[in-house]
Amino acid sequence: MAVNEGGEVVLSMVDVLEENEELEKEASAVLGGSDPEKCSYPKGYVKRQALYACSTCTPKDEDPAGICLACSYKCHEGHDLYELYTKRNFRCDCGNSKFKGFECKLYSGKDTLNTNNKYNQNFVGLYCTCKRPYPDPEDEISDEMIQCIVCEDWFHGRHLGAISTESVELQEMICVSCTNRTPFLWAYAAQLAAPSVTLLSPIEADVDMSMEETEGKKGVKEESENKASEPSAEETPTCKSEGQQPSTSTASDQKPVINGETACKRKLDQAETETCKLEKLKAKAFVQKNTAIYLPYNWRSKLCTCQRCKKTYAESEVPFLLDESDTVLAYEKRGQSSQESDTESRDPLMAALSGMDRVQQLEMIYEYNDLKTELKDYLKRFADEGKVVTSEDIQDFFEQLRSRKRRRVDNNHHYST
């Protein structure tokens, strides 16, 4: 990038190609981890993959369904699709009973339903707490959409109760609804969360004040509920003192006595409490707010892995938080790595362009701009008709381009003779 004598910023061909390369990297990050040719169904419930919903085959008033990347190309070309970005632990629905006779062209013999799949409002084209489509033609406010790592819905930044003061690309966000059902995460957030600015309307401010007033009572209530949910020593014997004989006394006889089983259980509980990271964090002061949480990408490695906490994750349906390969960042890295060979093959071209003089680069820029304009117009037709662009469509575009170029060359040759 350079500035000419008039103070205008001038882009070289190298700048243009580098910008285009960045856009390609972003696309490969989302799609590169998914197979564009083969249906993902045989792989079972895939840990993370790019997904789509077809409103042509499964309208809003019917059961939601999700399809893999390959099926969006091969089975649903020309249909109205919702791009869902990525979802975890999902098995392709294409052609099952939700599609009422429509068969998958890539894989037959699928189960009637994928009972472990989870669906949210995204599958019918709605997002956020405002339940609006994206892009929203009626929304005039420019706002970034952020995905919650728990429910995997997408939210406008202004509807999360707080906005991060750092780059959200380097963070994981947990929405208000999910923090409410996983309140133990606030103990981690107090120590690990990225700085944020709370957004409060007058009504929300009143609610927030009432929450602070009752916070002490709430903490006592939660503590008593946790104790009530823990099994007693009599209900869950876990060990026996060495040489101890089974007791034949009644329960009433045992109550005043701390015998081998009860003492051992208490020692195990005490030892686990002493090593539990969560219990240590709970001992520190923290405030539970009615806002989203923004956490750095390495925060999962800080979670406690004791048996009690693992049980809490399972009961809260968030055991995946312990899996660092579950993150979108890990998925994107897998996609990018699959494109490394293509990137390396482009390096010689970049080096050649860097060695061109200004006139040669300008000639290349004019050619590139023509190509970009024609490709944009060509792809716009697909967008207007709601069709998916396939590799065959791209090949057809370049064949038409070559044909027009041959005609121009022939005409110029005829004119010169």
Side-chain angles (χ1 to χ4, degrees), residues 44-59:
Y45 292 89
V46 180
K47 180 176 287 188
R48 184 167 294 281
Q49 63 175 316
L51 287 180
Y52 298 80
C54 180
S55 65
T56 302
C57 297
T58 54

Side-chain angles (χ1 to χ4, degrees), residues 199-211 290:
L199 305 175
L200 292 178
S201 67
I203 295 177
E204 290 172 330
D206 292 338
V207 174
D208 193 66
M209 288 298 294
S210 63
M211 286 178 61
N290 193 35

Side-chain angles (χ1 to χ4, degrees), residues 129-171:
T129 55
C130 60
K131 301 185 181 301
R132 297 292 301 171
Y134 182 83
D136 187 350
E138 298 180 9
D139 188 1
E140 298 180 355
I141 301 175
S142 177
D143 197 357
E144 186 173 17
M145 297 289 285
I146 310 170
Q147 188 179 35
C148 173
I149 65 166
V150 177
C151 65
E152 298 192 298
D153 197 354
W154 289 82
F155 297 84
H156 296 100
R158 65 184 186 272
H159 293 155
L160 288 170
I163 56 174
S164 175
T165 58
E166 299 178 359
S167 174
V168 293
E169 284 80 9
L170 303 177
Q171 300 169 25

Side-chain angles (χ1 to χ4, degrees), residues 209-233:
M209 288 298 294
S210 63
M211 286 178 61
E212 290 181 1
E213 291 171 1
T214 58
E215 185 182 337
K217 296 179 180 179
K218 183 176 181 181
V220 172
K221 182 181 179 182
E222 288 179 350
E223 184 177 354
S224 63
E225 288 176 351
N226 289 337
K227 287 183 178 179
S229 64
E230 292 179 7
S232 64

Side-chain angles (χ1 to χ4, degrees), residues 237-258:
T238 57
C239 66
K240 184 162 61 178
S241 299
E242 185 176 356
Q244 180 187 345
Q245 298 299 320
S247 174
T248 57
S249 58
T250 63
S252 59
D253 294 333
Q254 291 180 359
K255 280 183 180 179
V257 182
I258 302 177

Side-chain angles (χ1 to χ4, degrees), residues 88 118-120 148-153 155 173-186 211 218 222 225-226 288-293 311-321:
R88 71 167 60 88
K118 292 186 177 180
Y119 308 89
N120 60 18
C148 173
I149 65 166
V150 177
C151 65
E152 298 192 298
D153 197 354
F155 297 84
M173 184 274 291
I174 304 176
C175 73
V176 178
S177 176
C178 290
T179 58
N180 286 339
R181 71 180 184 86
T182 54
F184 59 89
L185 290 179
W186 278 104
M211 286 178 61
K218 183 176 181 181
E222 288 179 350
E225 288 176 351
N226 289 337
Q288 181 175 332
K289 302 178 181 179
N290 193 35
T291 67
I293 300 174
K311 182 181 178 182
T312 299
Y313 304 145
E315 291 174 346
S316 302
E317 298 182 342
V318 291
F320 52 81
L321 291 180

